[in-house]
Amino acid sequence: MNNLDKYRKFAKARPNANAKTKNLNVWLYTRVSSASQKDNYSLDYQRDEAYAFAQKKGLTITREFGKKNESASSDFTRKEFSDLINEVKKEKVKPFAIMVYIMNRFSRSGGGAVAIADELINKIGVHLIEVCSGLDTSTDDGRLEIYDKLLEAKKQNNDRLKHTIPGMKRLLKAGKCLGNVPFGYTQYGPRVKDFERRAVEQRIIINEDGKKLKLAWEWKVSGMPDHVILTKLRSLGVNIRKQKLSAMWNKPFYCGIQTNKLLDGDFVRGNWEVMVSEDVFWKVQSILEKNHNGYCISKEVDERPLVGSLYCSKCGKKLTGYLNRRKNLHYYKCQTCSGVTINANTPRRQSKNIGAHDVFVELLNLFSFKKELEPLFNLQLKKILTNHSDSTKQEQAIFKKRLTELNEKREKLNRNFAFGDIGKEMFDKYIVEIDTEIHSLQQKYQIPDLEISNLDKSVKKLLDIVRNISKYWKSASVSNKKRLQELLFPQGLVLDTERRQYLTSRMNSLFMLKLDLMGLTEEDKKKLPIVFDGESDLVAGTGLEPVAFGL
């Protein structure tokens, strides 16, 4: 026996790569870059070749991914590719490998693709197989060749872009559009998918949804919130998700401006039909900037109903809310200014450290008044309601007149179409315009109509609300508390957390009336938990109706 043979039991043999192939299950990923490749059976060819290869090697394809056209310029913007990677990570029993017909179908991102492949192989334990060459990553040589092919795919992609990008830029600068057009538009041209919209020259027009979408921009400029706009659009038959509506406000495409990334930060005027004027577009941008000043996404929390209504007295940004889990206490704070924070509720043993909610209740209690002030309040309130009723009737008369005119036009249009005086294309065009305006007016026409005969009843309801406003607020749900806060203080409240005092620039005139009737002295005003520095809102619309409180 050789003297060295006694060390054989300590020797470490290199693992046999073939021993790992006992798991014969594999997954298949197929992909094409464009719809034209999808139409010429490229996906079917990739799949057929993969199944033939699997049968020859004794492998079983247990799952398939891809099967559609997705660009490979960025890996995780491809939904099917993302699903493939996420699923293989979550799978308890991993497949032996992922099969692709050729490596550039897997990815063209170069170094990024190599990093993904390396993680699959070394961390997850799943190999890659290239069907057309028979290469796989179960051996070192195979792994290096696969990595080289992924890097080469990136190089090929870059070489192709060097030739195509200059042409794409010229198209953009000529006012043409590349890719899909935004919601509300229909594109005709030589490269569109729908054969019925194929044309020699590109033409982009506003479709039927787009004609109704014009109204959404007008509503946004008027200050209408997105959730109300969505409801109104759906009643017109326009189905659009809230995320798409939100994104729409930031697309200059709608006012005729192209901002494609290929322009390297530049922009050009497009040759398509403009949905809104540049003036309207920038008015919407101004509204969005105000809405996002210090905005922080926050769920409705019962313990922090004032989130969204409070502003910092130092920087003017909205206060956010948070829970101190160690103390189990809720707070409001400014994300920008140091030290601007206040407890939501007053601690039991620290009555001096009054919370923001109790300060707000003190503010609401200002609107409670003594019995002797009721007759004077009733008299002034009736005057406000009567003026509002007269104004509302004038608006209704204008709306009714316009609705009558539109209905007459609609009837005339139907008659002309029925007798063949106009064609279907012209009929469809104008009937949508008329119906859209009719619907818009009908929405505006839904203004509460306060009849004089019901005036005493309305005053009694409003008086009860004003007298018990703090009770209504404390007993309401968090959503109704927010509605009440918006009604009372439409522009919110600035909170001085050090003095524990509120500041507002606008208040509903119904409640300003109560403060006026109190006849407060300057010394009295200094003791109040509020400083008023502006004008009041007119009491109008839903602000008058007790049902609008939702209480």
Side-chain angles (χ1 to χ4, degrees), residues 89-228:
K89 285 179 179 179
K90 290 190 296 184
E91 192 77 3
K92 290 183 179 179
V93 180
K94 310 290 184 188
F96 164 66
I98 295 170
M99 296 175 63
V100 290
Y101 176 71
I102 189 170
M103 273 302 124
N104 62 22
R105 300 298 87 193
F106 183 76
S107 174
R108 291 182 182 271
S109 63
V114 172
I116 294 169
D118 193 64
E119 183 182 6
L120 281 171
I121 299 160
N122 294 319
K123 291 186 178 180
I124 302 175
V126 176
H127 288 284
L128 291 177
I129 297 175
E130 185 181 59
V131 172
C132 68
S133 66
L135 288 171
D136 67 67
T137 59
S138 63
T139 65
D140 289 341
D141 290 342
R143 186 177 307 180
L144 289 173
E145 287 197 57
I146 293 289
Y147 288 175
D148 284 343
K149 283 177 173 284
L150 290 172
L151 293 171
E152 180 62 24
K154 173 66 173 177
K155 183 177 181 302
Q156 291 172 356
N157 200 48
N158 287 343
D159 290 341
R160 188 171 68 252
L161 289 175
K162 286 177 184 178
H163 297 287
T164 57
I165 285 180
M168 293 163 73
K169 285 184 176 180
R170 280 196 296 272
L171 278 173
L172 290 171
K173 289 181 178 180
K176 302 289 180 66
C177 174
L178 290 176
N180 296 326
V181 293
F183 183 77
Y185 282 93
T186 299
Q187 180 179 356
Y188 296 84
R191 297 180 63 83
V192 295
K193 296 177 183 178
D194 188 345
F195 186 78
E196 293 182 356
R197 291 190 280 109
R198 292 278 174 88
V200 177
E201 290 290 329
Q202 185 183 84
R203 185 165 56 94
I204 300 170
I205 64 170
I206 297 172
N207 56 33
E208 297 305 317
D209 281 338
K211 291 173 184 177
K212 299 170 186 176
L213 211 58
K214 284 184 178 181
L215 291 170
W217 288 88
E218 295 174 14
W219 295 331
K220 188 68 176 179
V221 168
S222 71
M224 189 178 293
D226 281 10
H227 68 90
V228 177

Side-chain angles (χ1 to χ4, degrees), residues 300-407:
E300 282 193 351
V301 178
D302 291 344
E303 293 82 359
R304 301 192 296 273
L306 293 174
V307 166
S309 296
L310 301 184
Y311 293 81
C312 175
S313 60
K314 293 183 179 179
C315 68
K317 293 183 178 180
K318 281 188 178 181
L319 300 187
T320 60
Y322 72 96
L323 169 65
N324 184 320
R325 298 189 181 278
R326 185 174 61 82
K327 297 180 180 179
N328 195 31
L329 294 175
H330 292 268
Y331 291 86
Y332 297 100
K333 70 171 292 185
C334 178
Q335 298 280 27
T336 304
C337 301
S338 176
V340 178
T341 181
I342 185 171
N343 44 300
N345 299 298
T346 306
R348 292 180 181 178
R349 299 181 181 179
Q350 300 178 26
S351 57
K352 290 183 179 180
N353 193 21
I354 186 169
H357 297 165
D358 287 331
V359 179
F360 188 70
V361 169
E362 281 186 20
L363 173 58
L364 296 182
N365 285 335
L366 290 175
F367 304 119
S368 299
F369 48 83
K370 299 177 182 177
K371 280 278 186 181
E372 53 265 28
L373 288 177
E374 282 190 19
L376 189 58
F377 186 87
N378 281 356
L379 184 64
Q380 190 62 34
L381 185 56
K382 284 181 181 180
K383 193 176 293 186
I384 292 174
L385 294 180
T386 302
N387 289 339
H388 169 68
S389 180
D390 291 342
S391 175
T392 300
K393 286 177 180 177
Q394 290 176 9
E395 286 187 47
Q396 289 174 346
I398 295 170
F399 289 147
K400 285 178 180 179
K401 182 180 178 181
R402 180 58 181 158
L403 280 172
T404 301
E405 292 173 355
L406 288 169
N407 282 318

Side-chain angles (χ1 to χ4, degrees), residues 437-449:
E437 188 175 351
I438 287 174
H439 184 274
S440 176
L441 286 172
Q442 286 173 337
Q443 293 296 311
K444 293 178 182 177
Y445 181 55
Q446 293 174 1
I447 298 174
D449 189 7

Side-chain angles (χ1 to χ4, degrees), residues 13-30:
R14 185 175 181 180
N16 185 355
N18 294 327
K20 294 184 179 180
T21 61
K22 289 181 180 179
N23 175 6
L24 299 177
N25 292 332
V26 294
W27 290 1
L28 174 61
Y29 177 69
T30 56

Side-chain angles (χ1 to χ4, degrees), residues 441-499:
L441 286 172
Q442 286 173 337
Q443 293 296 311
K444 293 178 182 177
Y445 181 55
Q446 293 174 1
I447 298 174
D449 189 7
L450 289 172
E451 296 293 339
I452 297 299
S453 59
N454 294 325
L455 189 59
D456 289 336
K457 184 178 180 181
S458 299
V459 168
K460 185 177 179 181
K461 287 182 180 180
L462 287 168
L463 186 62
D464 180 63
I465 290 171
V466 173
R467 187 190 296 117
N468 300 289
I469 194 72
S470 62
K471 182 190 75 174
Y472 277 115
W473 184 80
K474 286 194 289 186
S475 61
S477 65
V478 62
S479 58
N480 283 332
K481 282 179 179 176
K482 287 180 177 293
R483 292 176 66 190
L484 187 54
Q485 289 155 203
E486 290 173 5
L487 174 64
L488 285 167
F489 310 105
Q491 291 189 347
L493 289 162
V494 174
L495 178 57
D496 185 334
T497 56
E498 294 179 2
R499 297 183 181 181

